[in-house]
Amino acid sequence: MPEHNPTQNTDAQNSRDNRDAETSVARPTWAEIDLDALAANFREVRRLVGSEVRVMAVVKADAYGHGASECARRLAAEGADWFAVALPEEGMELRRAGIVQPVLCLEGFWEGQAGACLAHKLVPVIYRLDMAEAFAAAARATGSVADVHVKIDTGMGRLGVRYSAAEEFARALKKFKHLRVDGLMTHFASADDAACDSFTGEQLARFHAALDSFRAAGHAPTFIDMANSAATFAHAAARGNMVRPGGVLYGLWRDVLPSQSESPSLRPVLAVRSRIILLKWIGAGETLGYGCTFEAARPTLVATLPIGYHDGYVRALSNRGRVIVRGQYAPVVGRVSMDLTLLDVTDVHGVELNDEVTLIGADGELSLTAEEIAKIAGTISYEITCGISARVPRKYKAGDRLRIAD
Ligand SMILES: *Cc1c(COP(=O)(O)O)cnc(C)c1O
């Protein structure tokens, strides 16, 4: 049953009911987002860093595929201090969802978006002088002084003012009277890898030198932040006064944090499920799917699932993945295709048409983590969760309620 919010106006309510009706007749493939697990993971981060360190929850890329609006609302209710997105477009989506906390745009803004950023109170990361100039001009036009965060590239080599140029950049920024440097930040290349700890230490040292330069030039950034998930957990010295975790909030850690003796208390947030839409026997020696890559060694009971690589169930899982059905693991057989995937369910006792199948997540005693699936597919868990496409409706779980997104 979808949740009915009495504060919604009638039009919104109708359009939501229509949408619920549409999704309820859609094919039986969906993602479940456990907002209570998200909240528990957030509290775990809070517990770890203590009350003196702010938490900027990273919800870019639609919250790593989990749904940015719903996740941000719950994280805001749990006390997230800031949110981070990649693009101003994503920041505006958070504003439309009612998020009032400060929002940082990690990639800055595109030409022509400065005014919109200001209007929506989105704070851009700045890494070029022409961006500073454009943002200052937009601020001057509204008679305000705009906050920006400056990113220092301390060795990642991606976005940011190269650390060797930080002093010059800090001085050059002083001429923009309508800008205030509210934050100074950097990003680690390999905080998850103990073998790279000396490089992480070097990045930290370069960042502190840049911070000194900024202060010497007369800037007084409020926020000093460096730490992604891995650094938040593994490098306490790199927490500064704000951390920027993403993955751990979604319960992704097995390929995110350095391998450690103790498992962190983090719970997976995403599950992907579907239902068997066809069951059939094929004979020994017969083949399945494109390219005939699976040949049955015995009479085989084959189940068809309405999910494929367009949904983000990646083709690399062909003949390699597994799912959970009726409390048992069953292998993926043949090539995963665009909209369909096949299973060998010969050994699944009592399997029936319409049985629920878990492709990612837990079902009873068994579970399949995004990290495990990523490993089989030769990638990382983030790419798996980000890849669950918009064609897969999200259902949000809180308490014992399961509902479609607002
Ligand atoms: C994505 C991102 C993060 C979060 O990284 P996780 O590994 O998900 O914790 C933090 N900072 C920046 C600049 C990012 O781009």
Side-chain angles (χ1 to χ4, degrees), residues 56 58 60 64 84-86 104 106 125 151 158 185-188 225-232 243-250 256 382:
M56 174 184 279
V58 180
K60 65 191 181 195
Y64 298 37
V85 293
L104 186 67
L106 295 170
V125 168
K151 188 168 191 178
R158 210 174 54 168
M185 62 187 289
T186 192
H187 193 49
F188 293 116
D225 53 291
M226 299 151 267
N228 57 1
S229 292
T232 299
V243 292
R244 301 190 311 265
V248 291
L249 297 176
Y250 310 106
V256 174
Y382 293 1

